Amino acid sequence: DFAHMRDIVAIRPKDLDATVQPGISYNDLNEALAEHGLFFPPDPGAGASIGGMVGTSCAGTNAVRHGTMKENVLNLKVVLADGSVVQTRRRSRKSSAGYDLTHLFIGAEGTLGIVTEVSLKLHPIPETTGVATCSFEKIGEATATAADIVSQAVPLGRIELMDDVAVRAVNKGAGMSLPEKPLVLFEFAGTPTEVNDQISKVQAIACEHGGSSFVFATDEETKDDLWRARKEAYWSAYTLRPNAEIWTTDVCVPISSLEDVIEATKKDLEAAGIIAPLVSHAGDGNFHLLMLVDPSNAAELAQAGELNRRMVHRAIAADGTCTGEHGVGEGKMEFLETELGPEAVALMRTLKRALDPENILNPGKILLPEGYVADESVEQDATKLRASVTSHSC
């Protein structure tokens, strides 16, 4: 429990880095950094701790411009299973010295060592930011817009997509009055001239793909109002099925495959009769379903589980991943070998045995027990799935 290890060890504005303990949240860190005109970009669910963000190699809405945790960590201090303490590298921006131990522990979910300090890359707060929204008749038009923006190297801060169901949820839950069709939200950053140039380019690309109701703003009040739809999408989803719980999914595909995978998934949802708002970090091919399910209904959970499996296998078939930013944990262990192959999983087991021979570090995560055979019975499946239904923000 790192709840009391929340200190900022050092902020170094000239080096654009900081060293922190794992219990501090990225929100609290950014409050302290603001005094120096700096910020730390990765932004998963509000209140997420830096240690947890390292464990899952999280991303969030800023990843399209600034990358995931893997791109924003300089080094780690890690306590190994035998009690020895390792610093994975120095703070220099480049190093070719030895194995890349830093990235070995990022995304390992605490199964290889316990992270006690993290040195992070920082970025200057942009001089100006802007926000725009644009509606589309079809998901494919929205994803094509995001793909073109990325391929044309328009340096946006965020490109977020909400499907018609998610928009209906925020209209109902947040009192908004948006057209109930796919919506893309953009954030621009830079100098005033750069922001205006980005807005013009994005508007032109969106129009080429049938975008309508393009609205943009650079003043704080209007920006906040435009971005409110994305911020409130998760909690608004509950209004579509009161007394249900949200099962959050997480797959990521090459951006060229995003439309096909989303369309096939929405057909599955319609056939199953499951209400599931969809939100996507469209600039990097990552999307989440917010499946509204009754955790006491075993058959319904099993149906949702099968839909999730189909979506994961669809993503992997598109050369994507079973998890873009939430991690493997317990719920996605069964997909790891399909995605990476038995040789890669065997290498992971070798690393785990070498660093944690007694299996005392977060056991039961990432790697299935050797020789495990999944029980496909509905009741056993539903019991496992109930544990997976959690309030996990996107």
Side-chain angles (χ1 to χ4, degrees), residues 240-251:
L240 299 180
R241 189 181 176 187
N243 302 316
E245 293 293 340
I246 289 178
W247 180 352
T248 307
T249 70
D250 172 44
V251 296

Side-chain angles (χ1 to χ4, degrees), residues 174-197:
M176 303 189 77
S177 54
L178 298 164
E180 293 187 359
K181 54 182 70 174
L183 179 74
V184 181
L185 303 93
F186 311 94
E187 185 177 84
F188 314 95
T191 66
T193 300
E194 289 169 340
V195 167
N196 288 331
D197 181 55

Side-chain angles (χ1 to χ4, degrees), residues 7 35 74 78 108 213 234 238 245 282 296 312 317 362 384 392-393:
D7 289 347
E35 300 176 11
L74 284 170
V78 184
S213 305
Y234 182 86
Y238 284 102
E245 293 293 340
S296 67
V312 168
N362 209 9
K384 181 175 69 173
H392 189 214
S393 184

